[in-house]
Coordinates of all heavy atoms in Angstrom, one line a residue:
N1 N 133.9 105.4 91.5 CA 134.1 104.6 92.7 C 134.4 105.6 93.9 O 135.5 106.2 93.8 CB 135.1 103.6 92.5 CG 134.7 102.5 91.6 OD1 133.6 102.2 91.5 ND2 135.7 101.8 91.0
M2 N 133.6 105.6 94.8 CA 133.9 106.4 96.0 C 134.6 105.4 97.0 O 134.3 104.3 97.2 CB 132.7 107.0 96.6 CG 132.0 107.9 95.8 SD 130.6 108.8 96.5 CE 129.5 107.5 96.6
T3 N 135.6 106.0 97.8 CA 136.2 105.2 98.8 C 136.1 106.0 100.1 O 136.1 107.2 100.2 CB 137.7 105.0 98.4 OG1 138.3 106.2 98.2 CG2 137.7 104.2 97.1
G4 N 136.2 105.3 101.2 CA 136.4 105.7 102.5 C 135.4 106.7 103.0 O 134.1 106.3 103.0
T5 N 135.7 107.9 103.4 CA 134.8 108.8 104.0 C 133.7 109.2 103.1 O 132.5 109.3 103.5 CB 135.6 110.0 104.5 OG1 136.7 109.6 105.4 CG2 134.7 110.9 105.3
T6 N 134.0 109.5 101.9 CA 132.9 110.0 100.9 C 131.8 108.9 100.7 O 130.7 109.3 100.5 CB 133.6 110.3 99.6 OG1 134.3 109.2 99.0 CG2 134.5 111.5 99.7
A7 N 132.3 107.6 100.7 CA 131.2 106.5 100.5 C 130.3 106.6 101.8 O 129.1 106.4 101.6 CB 131.8 105.2 100.3
V8 N 130.8 106.7 102.9 CA 130.0 106.7 104.1 C 129.1 107.9 104.1 O 127.9 107.8 104.5 CB 130.9 106.6 105.4 CG1 130.1 106.7 106.7 CG2 131.7 105.3 105.4
I9 N 129.6 109.1 103.8 CA 128.8 110.3 103.8 C 127.7 110.1 102.7 O 126.5 110.5 103.0 CB 129.7 111.5 103.5 CG1 130.5 111.8 104.7 CG2 128.8 112.7 103.2 CD1 131.6 112.9 104.5
G10 N 128.0 109.6 101.6 CA 127.0 109.3 100.5 C 125.9 108.4 101.0 O 124.7 108.6 100.6
A11 N 126.4 107.3 101.6 CA 125.4 106.3 102.1 C 124.5 107.0 103.1 O 123.3 106.7 103.1 CB 126.1 105.1 102.6
G12 N 125.0 107.7 104.0 CA 124.2 108.4 105.0 C 123.2 109.4 104.3 O 122.1 109.4 104.7
L13 N 123.6 110.1 103.3 CA 122.8 111.1 102.6 C 121.6 110.2 101.9 O 120.5 110.7 101.8 CB 123.5 111.9 101.7 CG 124.3 112.9 102.4 CD1 125.2 113.6 101.3 CD2 123.4 113.9 103.2
A14 N 121.9 109.1 101.3 CA 121.0 108.2 100.6 C 119.9 107.7 101.5 O 118.9 107.4 101.0 CB 121.8 107.1 99.9
T15 N 120.2 107.5 102.8 CA 119.2 107.0 103.6 C 118.1 108.0 104.1 O 117.2 107.6 104.8 CB 119.9 106.4 105.0 OG1 120.6 107.4 105.6 CG2 120.8 105.3 104.6
I16 N 118.3 109.2 103.7 CA 117.3 110.3 104.0 C 116.0 109.8 103.4 O 114.9 110.1 104.0 CB 117.7 111.7 103.5 CG1 118.9 112.1 104.3 CG2 116.6 112.6 103.6 CD1 119.6 113.4 103.8
G17 N 115.9 109.2 102.3 CA 114.7 108.7 101.8 C 113.9 107.7 102.6 O 112.7 107.6 102.5
L18 N 114.6 107.1 103.5 CA 113.9 106.1 104.4 C 113.0 106.9 105.4 O 111.9 106.3 105.8 CB 115.0 105.3 105.2 CG 115.7 104.3 104.4 CD1 116.7 103.6 105.3 CD2 114.8 103.3 103.8
A19 N 113.3 108.2 105.8 CA 112.5 108.9 106.6 C 111.2 109.3 105.9 O 110.1 109.1 106.5 CB 113.2 110.3 107.0
G20 N 111.3 109.6 104.6 CA 110.0 109.8 103.8 C 109.1 108.6 103.7 O 108.0 108.8 103.8
A21 N 109.8 107.5 103.6 CA 109.0 106.3 103.6 C 108.3 106.0 104.9 O 107.2 105.6 104.9 CB 109.9 105.1 103.1
G22 N 109.0 106.3 106.0 CA 108.4 106.1 107.3 C 107.2 107.0 107.4 O 106.2 106.6 108.0
V23 N 107.3 108.2 107.0 CA 106.2 109.2 107.1 C 105.0 108.7 106.2 O 103.9 108.7 106.5 CB 106.7 110.6 106.6 CG1 105.5 111.5 106.5 CG2 107.6 111.1 107.7
G24 N 105.4 108.2 105.1 CA 104.4 107.6 104.1 C 103.5 106.5 104.6 O 102.3 106.4 104.5
I25 N 104.3 105.6 105.3 CA 103.6 104.4 105.8 C 102.7 104.8 107.0 O 101.6 104.3 107.2 CB 104.6 103.4 106.3 CG1 105.3 102.8 105.1 CG2 104.0 102.3 107.2 CD1 106.5 101.9 105.4
G26 N 103.2 105.8 107.9 CA 102.3 106.3 108.9 C 101.1 106.9 108.4 O 100.0 106.8 108.9
N27 N 101.2 107.7 107.3 CA 100.2 108.3 106.7 C 99.1 107.3 106.2 O 97.8 107.5 106.3 CB 100.6 109.3 105.6 CG 99.6 110.2 105.1 OD1 98.5 110.3 105.7 ND2 99.8 110.9 104.0
V28 N 99.6 106.3 105.6 CA 98.7 105.3 104.9 C 97.8 104.6 106.1 O 96.6 104.5 105.9 CB 99.4 104.2 104.2 CG1 98.6 103.0 103.9 CG2 100.0 104.7 102.9
F29 N 98.5 104.2 107.1 CA 97.7 103.5 108.2 C 96.9 104.5 109.1 O 95.9 104.0 109.6 CB 98.7 102.6 109.1 CG 99.1 101.4 108.3 CD1 100.4 101.2 107.9 CD2 98.1 100.5 107.9 CE1 100.8 100.1 107.1 CE2 98.6 99.3 107.3 CZ 99.9 99.1 106.9
G30 N 97.4 105.7 109.3 CA 96.6 106.7 110.0 C 95.3 107.0 109.2 O 94.2 107.1 109.7
S31 N 95.4 107.1 107.8 CA 94.3 107.4 107.0 C 93.3 106.1 107.1 O 92.1 106.3 107.0 CB 94.6 107.6 105.6 OG 95.4 108.8 105.5
L32 N 93.9 105.0 107.1 CA 93.0 103.7 107.2 C 92.2 103.7 108.5 O 91.0 103.4 108.5 CB 93.9 102.5 107.2 CG 93.2 101.1 107.5 CD1 92.2 100.9 106.4 CD2 94.2 100.0 107.6
V33 N 92.8 104.1 109.5 CA 92.1 104.2 110.9 C 91.0 105.2 110.8 O 89.8 105.0 111.2 CB 93.0 104.5 112.1 CG1 92.3 104.8 113.3 CG2 94.0 103.3 112.3
L34 N 91.2 106.4 110.2 CA 90.1 107.4 110.1 C 89.0 106.9 109.2 O 87.8 107.1 109.5 CB 90.8 108.6 109.6 CG 91.6 109.5 110.6 CD1 92.3 110.7 109.9 CD2 90.8 109.9 111.7
A35 N 89.4 106.3 108.0 CA 88.4 105.9 107.1 C 87.6 104.7 107.7 O 86.3 104.8 107.4 CB 89.1 105.4 105.8
V36 N 88.1 103.8 108.4 CA 87.4 102.7 109.0 C 86.4 103.3 110.1 O 85.3 102.9 110.2 CB 88.2 101.6 109.5 CG1 87.4 100.6 110.3 CG2 88.9 100.9 108.3
S37 N 86.9 104.3 110.8 CA 86.0 104.8 111.9 C 84.8 105.6 111.3 O 83.9 105.7 111.9 CB 86.9 105.7 112.8 OG 87.3 106.9 112.1
R38 N 85.0 106.1 110.1 CA 83.9 106.8 109.5 C 82.9 105.9 108.7 O 81.8 106.2 108.6 CB 84.4 107.9 108.5 CG 85.1 109.0 109.1 CD 85.8 109.9 108.0 NE 86.5 111.0 108.7 CZ 86.4 112.2 108.6 NH1 85.3 112.7 107.8 NH2 87.1 113.1 109.2
N39 N 83.5 104.8 108.2 CA 82.7 103.9 107.4 C 83.0 102.5 107.7 O 83.8 101.8 106.8 CB 83.0 104.3 105.9 CG 81.9 103.8 105.1 OD1 81.0 103.2 105.4 ND2 82.0 104.1 103.7
P40 N 82.7 101.9 108.8 CA 83.1 100.6 109.2 C 82.7 99.4 108.3 O 83.4 98.5 108.2 CB 82.4 100.4 110.6 CG 81.8 101.7 111.0 CD 81.8 102.5 109.8
Q41 N 81.6 99.6 107.6 CA 81.2 98.5 106.7 C 82.1 98.3 105.5 O 82.1 97.3 104.8 CB 79.7 98.6 106.2 CG 79.5 99.8 105.3 CD 79.1 101.1 106.1 OE1 79.3 101.2 107.3 NE2 78.5 102.0 105.5
E42 N 82.9 99.3 105.2 CA 83.9 99.2 104.0 C 85.3 98.8 104.5 O 86.3 99.0 103.8 CB 83.9 100.6 103.3 CG 82.7 100.9 102.6 CD 82.3 100.0 101.5 OE1 83.3 99.5 100.8 OE2 81.2 99.7 101.3
R43 N 85.3 98.2 105.7 CA 86.6 97.9 106.3 C 87.5 97.0 105.4 O 88.7 97.2 105.2 CB 86.5 97.2 107.7 CG 87.7 96.8 108.4 CD 87.4 96.3 109.7 NE 86.7 95.1 109.6 CZ 87.2 93.8 109.7 NH1 88.4 93.6 109.8 NH2 86.3 92.8 109.6
D44 N 87.0 96.0 104.8 CA 87.8 95.0 104.1 C 88.3 95.7 102.8 O 89.5 95.5 102.5 CB 86.9 93.8 103.6 CG 86.6 93.0 104.8 OD1 87.3 93.0 105.8 OD2 85.6 92.2 104.8
E45 N 87.5 96.5 102.1 CA 88.0 97.1 100.9 C 89.0 98.2 101.2 O 90.0 98.4 100.6 CB 86.8 97.9 100.2 CG 87.2 98.6 98.9 CD 87.7 97.8 97.8 OE1 87.5 96.5 97.9 OE2 88.5 98.2 97.0
L46 N 88.8 98.9 102.4 CA 89.8 100.0 102.8 C 91.0 99.3 103.2 O 92.2 99.8 102.9 CB 89.2 100.8 103.9 CG 88.1 101.7 103.6 CD1 87.4 102.3 104.9 CD2 88.5 102.8 102.6
F47 N 91.0 98.1 103.8 CA 92.2 97.5 104.2 C 93.0 97.0 102.9 O 94.2 97.1 102.9 CB 91.9 96.3 105.1 CG 93.2 95.6 105.7 CD1 93.9 96.1 106.6 CD2 93.6 94.4 105.1 CE1 95.0 95.5 107.2 CE2 94.7 93.8 105.6 CZ 95.4 94.4 106.6
R48 N 92.3 96.5 102.0 CA 92.9 96.1 100.8 C 93.7 97.3 100.0 O 94.9 97.1 99.6 CB 91.9 95.5 99.8 CG 92.4 94.3 99.0 CD 91.2 93.6 98.2 NE 90.3 93.0 99.1 CZ 89.0 93.2 99.1 NH1 88.4 94.1 98.4 NH2 88.2 92.5 99.9
L49 N 93.0 98.4 100.0 CA 93.7 99.6 99.5 C 94.8 100.0 100.3 O 95.9 100.5 99.7 CB 92.6 100.7 99.3 CG 91.6 100.5 98.2 CD1 90.5 101.6 98.4 CD2 92.2 100.5 96.9
A50 N 94.8 99.9 101.6 CA 95.9 100.3 102.4 C 97.1 99.4 102.2 O 98.2 99.9 102.3 CB 95.4 100.4 104.0
M51 N 96.8 98.1 102.0 CA 98.0 97.2 101.7 C 98.6 97.6 100.4 O 99.9 97.5 100.3 CB 97.5 95.7 101.7 CG 97.2 95.3 103.0 SD 98.6 95.2 104.1 CE 98.1 96.5 105.3
I52 N 97.9 98.0 99.4 CA 98.4 98.5 98.2 C 99.3 99.7 98.4 O 100.5 99.8 97.9 CB 97.4 98.8 97.1 CG1 96.8 97.4 96.7 CG2 98.0 99.4 95.8 CD1 95.5 97.6 95.8
G53 N 98.8 100.7 99.1 CA 99.6 101.9 99.5 C 100.8 101.5 100.3 O 101.9 102.2 100.1
F54 N 100.6 100.7 101.3 CA 101.9 100.2 102.0 C 102.9 99.6 101.1 O 104.0 99.9 101.3 CB 101.4 99.3 103.1 CG 102.6 98.6 103.8 CD1 103.3 99.3 104.8 CD2 102.9 97.3 103.5 CE1 104.4 98.7 105.3 CE2 103.9 96.7 104.1 CZ 104.7 97.3 105.1
A55 N 102.5 98.7 100.3 CA 103.4 98.0 99.3 C 104.2 99.0 98.4 O 105.4 98.9 98.3 CB 102.7 97.0 98.5
L56 N 103.5 100.0 97.9 CA 104.1 100.9 97.1 C 105.1 101.9 97.9 O 106.2 102.2 97.3 CB 103.1 101.8 96.4 CG 102.2 101.0 95.3 CD1 101.1 101.9 94.7 CD2 103.0 100.5 94.2
T57 N 104.6 102.2 99.0 CA 105.6 103.1 99.9 C 106.7 102.3 100.3 O 107.9 102.8 100.3 CB 104.7 103.6 101.1 OG1 103.6 104.3 100.6 CG2 105.5 104.6 101.9
E58 N 106.6 101.0 100.6 CA 107.7 100.2 101.1 C 108.7 100.0 100.0 O 109.8 99.8 100.2 CB 107.1 98.9 101.6 CG 108.2 98.0 102.3 CD 108.9 98.7 103.6 OE1 108.2 99.5 104.2 OE2 109.9 98.3 103.9
A59 N 108.1 99.9 98.7 CA 109.0 99.8 97.6 C 110.0 100.8 97.4 O 111.2 100.7 97.2 CB 108.2 99.6 96.3
V60 N 109.5 102.1 97.7 CA 110.4 103.3 97.7 C 111.5 103.1 98.8 O 112.7 103.4 98.5 CB 109.6 104.6 97.9 CG1 110.5 105.8 98.1 CG2 108.6 104.8 96.7
A61 N 111.1 102.7 100.0 CA 112.1 102.4 101.0 C 113.2 101.4 100.6 O 114.4 101.6 100.8 CB 111.4 102.0 102.3
L62 N 112.7 100.4 99.9 CA 113.6 99.3 99.4 C 114.6 99.8 98.4 O 115.8 99.5 98.3 CB 112.9 98.0 99.0 CG 112.1 97.3 100.2 CD1 111.3 96.2 99.6 CD2 113.2 96.8 101.2
F63 N 114.1 100.7 97.5 CA 114.9 101.2 96.5 C 116.0 102.1 97.1 O 117.1 102.1 96.6 CB 114.1 102.0 95.4 CG 113.2 101.2 94.6 CD1 112.0 101.6 94.1 CD2 113.7 99.9 94.1 CE1 111.2 100.8 93.3 CE2 112.8 99.2 93.3 CZ 111.6 99.6 92.9
T64 N 115.5 102.9 98.1 CA 116.5 103.8 98.8 C 117.6 102.9 99.5 O 118.7 103.3 99.4 CB 115.8 104.5 99.8 OG1 114.8 105.4 99.2 CG2 116.7 105.5 100.6
L65 N 117.1 101.8 100.1 CA 118.1 101.0 100.7 C 119.1 100.3 99.7 O 120.3 100.2 99.9 CB 117.4 99.8 101.5 CG 118.2 99.2 102.7 CD1 118.7 100.2 103.7 CD2 117.3 98.1 103.3
M66 N 118.5 99.9 98.6 CA 119.4 99.5 97.5 C 120.4 100.4 97.1 O 121.6 100.1 96.9 CB 118.5 99.0 96.4 CG 119.3 98.4 95.2 SD 118.2 97.9 93.8 CE 117.7 99.5 93.2
V67 N 120.0 101.7 96.9 CA 121.0 102.7 96.4 C 122.0 102.9 97.5 O 123.2 103.1 97.2 CB 120.2 104.0 96.1 CG1 121.3 105.2 96.1 CG2 119.4 103.9 94.9
T68 N 121.7 102.9 98.8 CA 122.6 103.1 99.9 C 123.6 101.9 99.8 O 124.8 102.2 99.9 CB 121.9 103.0 101.2 OG1 120.9 104.1 101.2 CG2 122.9 103.1 102.4
F69 N 123.3 100.7 99.6 CA 124.2 99.6 99.6 C 125.0 99.6 98.3 O 126.2 99.3 98.3 CB 123.5 98.2 99.6 CG 122.9 97.9 101.0 CD1 121.7 97.2 101.1 CD2 123.7 98.3 102.1 CE1 121.2 97.0 102.4 CE2 123.1 97.9 103.4 CZ 121.9 97.3 103.5
L70 N 124.5 100.1 97.2 CA 125.3 100.3 96.0 C 126.4 101.4 96.2 O 127.4 101.3 95.7 CB 124.5 100.7 94.8 CG 123.6 99.6 94.2 CD1 122.7 100.2 93.1 CD2 124.6 98.6 93.5
V71 N 126.0 102.5 96.9 CA 127.1 103.5 97.2 C 128.1 102.9 98.1 O 129.3 103.1 97.9 CB 126.4 104.7 97.9 CG1 127.4 105.7 98.5 CG2 125.5 105.4 96.9
L72 N 127.8 102.1 99.1 CA 128.7 101.5 100.0 C 129.6 100.5 99.5 O 130.8 100.5 99.6 CB 128.0 101.0 101.3 CG 127.7 102.0 102.3 CD1 126.9 101.3 103.5 CD2 128.9 102.8 102.9
F73 N 128.9 99.5 98.8 CA 129.6 98.3 98.3 C 129.8 98.1 96.8 O 130.4 97.2 96.3 CB 128.9 97.0 98.8 CG 128.7 97.1 100.3 CD1 127.5 97.2 100.9 CD2 129.8 97.0 101.2 CE1 127.3 97.2 102.2 CE2 129.7 97.0 102.5 CZ 128.4 97.1 103.1
G74 N 129.3 99.1 96.0 CA 129.4 99.0 94.6 C 130.6 99.6 94.0 O 131.5 100.1 94.5

């Protein structure tokens, strides 16, 4: 059980994973734009794959947030 300052520092360090998730989401949608511009007839399939990539990347962000809250309130 961490208390006080150490819990806040630990929670701040745990949120570093959110930056990686933000980069990952930007990468997924940036790649979607490039792929659709190169092959417009595959737009629907590419969008479907991008949504899967977005969901998996967002799951990492949610796990990071969960760990942060566990450090703060657990």
Side-chain angles (χ1 to χ4, degrees):
N1 286 337
M2 292 188 291
T3 58
T5 306
T6 56
V8 174
I9 291 172
L13 290 173
T15 59
I16 293 172
L18 293 174
V23 170
I25 291 170
N27 194 11
V28 166
F29 287 111
S31 297
L32 173 64
V33 169
L34 288 174
V36 169
S37 68
R38 291 174 186 239
N39 200 357
Q41 66 269 20
E42 293 294 324
R43 183 176 56 98
D44 292 336
E45 180 64 24
L46 291 170
F47 184 75
R48 218 172 288 125
L49 291 172
M51 285 298 109
I52 292 171
F54 169 74
L56 293 174
T57 307
E58 188 66 23
V60 172
L62 291 174
F63 290 144
T64 301
L65 200 58
M66 181 183 64
V67 167
T68 301
F69 287 143
L70 283 172
V71 167
L72 279 178
F73 304 114

